Amino acid sequence: MIRGFFRLVGLLLLAGSFIFLVYDGARWVADQALQFTRFGQLWNDVHQTSQAAFKAWVEAKAPFLWEWIVKAFLDQPVFAVLGLLGILLMLLFRPRRPLIGYGRD
C-alpha cells in the first residue's frame, strides 16, 4: 500500500516535471529567449516564509550546507528537480520481481 502511494507521488512529480518543461518551452518560443523556471523561484512564489524559515534552520545547523548544496539545488530548473525526484521514487518503490522456481499457492 505504501509502495503504491510513493509510486503515485513519483508519477505525479514526473507529470509536474513535464508540465514545467512544456511551460518553459512555450515561454522560449514566445520570448525567443531560453529561461528556465528555477526551483527556488517556484518555492518562493508558492510560500515565501517557508523558504526563509528553511534557510534559517539550515544556516543554524550547518552554514556551509546552504552555500554549497541547498543553494545549488534551488538554482536548478523545476523540471529537472521534479523529474529527478519522480524517477527516484519510481525506482525505489518499484514492485518486487517474482521469484523464479517457487510455486505460489
Side-chain angles (χ1 to χ4, degrees):
M1 175 89 176
I2 298 294
R3 182 179 296 155
F5 173 73
F6 282 116
R7 285 184 57 83
L8 175 68
V9 170
L11 191 62
L12 290 174
L13 287 173
L14 283 174
S17 170
F18 181 71
I19 288 169
F20 273 100
L21 183 65
V22 169
Y23 173 74
D24 289 338
R27 197 169 60 180
W28 176 37
V29 169
D31 295 341
Q32 296 295 320
L34 185 59
Q35 287 182 333
F36 294 118
T37 306
R38 293 181 305 113
F39 186 69
Q41 177 186 358
L42 175 71
W43 187 6
N44 194 20
D45 291 344
V46 171
H47 199 259
Q48 187 173 7
T49 58
S50 68
Q51 186 179 11
F54 181 70
K55 179 180 179 180
W57 180 77
V58 169
E59 285 180 341
K61 299 291 181 185
F64 65 91
L65 197 63
W66 178 260
E67 286 296 322
W68 294 99
I69 296 173
V70 178
K71 197 171 180 185
F73 184 73
L74 291 176
D75 286 338
Q76 300 306 312
V78 176
F79 75 88
V81 173
L82 293 181
L84 184 67
L85 290 175
I87 289 172
L88 187 68
L89 284 176
M90 294 289 285
L91 287 176
L92 286 176
F93 293 101
R94 64 181 173 220
R96 294 183 186 152
R97 290 190 207 166
L99 297 175
I100 298 175
Y102 292 96
R104 296 194 180 211
D105 296 337

